[in-house]
């Protein structure tokens, strides 16, 4: 925002012109209002923003109010200037109507933070500030089904690798012989979850689609292994493993900000359990070919 001062010699009144540049020219600004000392000003639109002129009396102090409504995607920022800028007696108060807040990278955190029944009161207060950092708040994002399904599908090979790893350990301990073709069909049934989810989220709720796809994939795997090995192995060992490494692994992507941590903890727990189960196995004897 910028301003320019001019005076009228006859009355001693001053005319101040205010220029407001929009944060982004490709955005919507609804209910735009500019007031000086509670008096609304006539707004003139320009290419990069708007301007307004206010007439002040002798020694009159001007209090400027700028208000508008807009829509944001991820964060709201206040920029002091293009480079390192100086501000005196600066106070910025942000009131949110949501609890889940964060602060973008390379921004200054508020000096005061007070929780309210519906959100937060955030205050940035500086007597003399020189900084090139911005001030801002990251807002909670609405769940986007398409990108979420894409993230789940991207990490599908990791989920399948963990599932096959557990099946390999269990079949080794129980001397169950699974042919590579069996693993091929299991992989196809496993990936049926991701393929169906990618197309189903465009038509129904992401949570309902997730539930349907999980049930379809688990049914394919368990019904196949019931015929290949037996009901107990299919429902208990394979069914539980698929529930953990397909359903729970994929659901971790719903936990925004905690997905990586949840997957890491799951991998560490898996490693611990497998190490305890196989600690006494003599792997050299286990993989030694038959003697003639």
């Amino acid at each position: 925002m910028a301003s320019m001062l001019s005076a009228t010699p006859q009355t001693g009144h001053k005319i101040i012109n205010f220029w407001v540049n929009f944060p982004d020219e490709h955005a919507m600004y609804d209910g735009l209002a500019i007031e000086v000392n509670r008096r609304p000003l006539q707004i003139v639109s320009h290419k990069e923003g708007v301007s307004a002129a206010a007439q002040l009396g002798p020694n009159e102090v001007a209090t400027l109010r700028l208000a508008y409504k807009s829509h944001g995607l991820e964060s709201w920022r206040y920029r002091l200037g293009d480079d390192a800028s100086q501000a005196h007696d600066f106070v910025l108060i942000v009131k949110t109507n949501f609890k889940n807040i964060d602060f973008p990278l390379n921004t200054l955190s508020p000096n005061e933070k007070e929780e309210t029944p519906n959100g937060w009161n955030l205050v940035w207060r500086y007597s003399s500030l020189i900084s090139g950092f911005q001030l801002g708040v990251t807002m909670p994002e609405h769940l986007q089904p398409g990108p979420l399904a894409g993230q789940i599908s991207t990490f599908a090979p990791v989920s399948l690798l963990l599932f096959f790893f557990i099946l390999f350990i269990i079949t080794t301990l129980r001397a169950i012989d699974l042919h590579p073709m069996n693993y091929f069909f299991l992989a196809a049934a496993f990936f049926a979850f991701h393929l169906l989810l990618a197309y189903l989220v465009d038509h129904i709720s992401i949570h309902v689609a997730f539930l349907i796809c999980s049930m379809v994939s688990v049914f394919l795997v368990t019904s196949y292994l019931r015929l290949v090995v037996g009901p107990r192995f299919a429902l208990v060992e394979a069914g539980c493993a698929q529930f953990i490494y397909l359903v729970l692994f994929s659901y971790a992507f719903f936990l925004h900000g905690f997905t990586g941590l949840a997957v890491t903890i799951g991998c560490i727990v898996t490693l611990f359990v497998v190490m305890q189960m196989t600690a006494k196995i003599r792997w050299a004897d286990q993989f030694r070919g038959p003697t003639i």
Side-chain angles (χ1 to χ4, degrees), residues 29 52 54 69 118 149 242:
Y29 303 94
K69 297 178 181 179
N118 298 322
Q242 189 180 12

Side-chain angles (χ1 to χ4, degrees), residues 49-201:
V50 295
S51 65
Q55 180 174 294
L56 303 179
N59 300 320
E60 183 180 1
V61 178
T63 300
L64 175 69
R65 176 180 177 269
L66 169 67
Y68 60 83
K69 297 178 181 179
S70 185
H71 294 287
L73 295 178
E74 297 178 354
S75 63
W76 177 90
R77 295 172 183 258
Y78 184 90
R79 185 173 60 188
L80 296 173
D82 294 331
D83 299 314
S85 303
Q86 186 175 14
H88 295 282
D89 299 323
F90 178 87
V91 178
L92 173 65
I93 301 176
V94 175
K95 298 181 180 181
T96 72
N97 57 357
F98 48 86
K99 294 282 188 178
N100 187 18
I101 63 170
D102 202 352
F103 304 102
L105 294 175
N106 299 323
T107 60
L108 299 176
S109 300
N111 306 100
E112 304 172 20
K113 187 167 63 172
E114 178 185 1
E115 188 173 6
T116 63
N118 298 322
W120 293 89
N121 285 341
L122 310 174
V123 181
W124 288 262
R125 192 189 309 272
Y126 302 101
S127 58
S128 180
L129 173 68
I130 300 178
S131 176
F133 291 106
Q134 300 177 359
L135 291 69
V137 178
T138 298
M139 297 173 285
E141 298 182 40
H142 292 288
L143 190 63
Q144 300 295 329
L148 179 62
Q151 292 178 348
I152 295 175
S153 299
T154 301
F155 286 87
V158 179
S159 178
L160 179 65
L161 177 63
L162 292 172
F163 176 62
F164 276 0
F165 176 64
I166 291 298
L167 283 188
F168 172 76
I169 295 299
I170 295 175
T171 54
T172 300
L173 292 175
R174 295 185 55 189
I176 298 175
D177 184 23
L178 283 182
H179 191 271
M181 281 302 300
N182 298 132
Y183 282 102
F184 171 80
F185 286 117
L186 291 175
F190 195 90
F191 284 132
F193 167 87
H194 305 88
L195 182 62
L196 184 60
L197 181 67
Y199 289 99
L200 203 55
V201 292

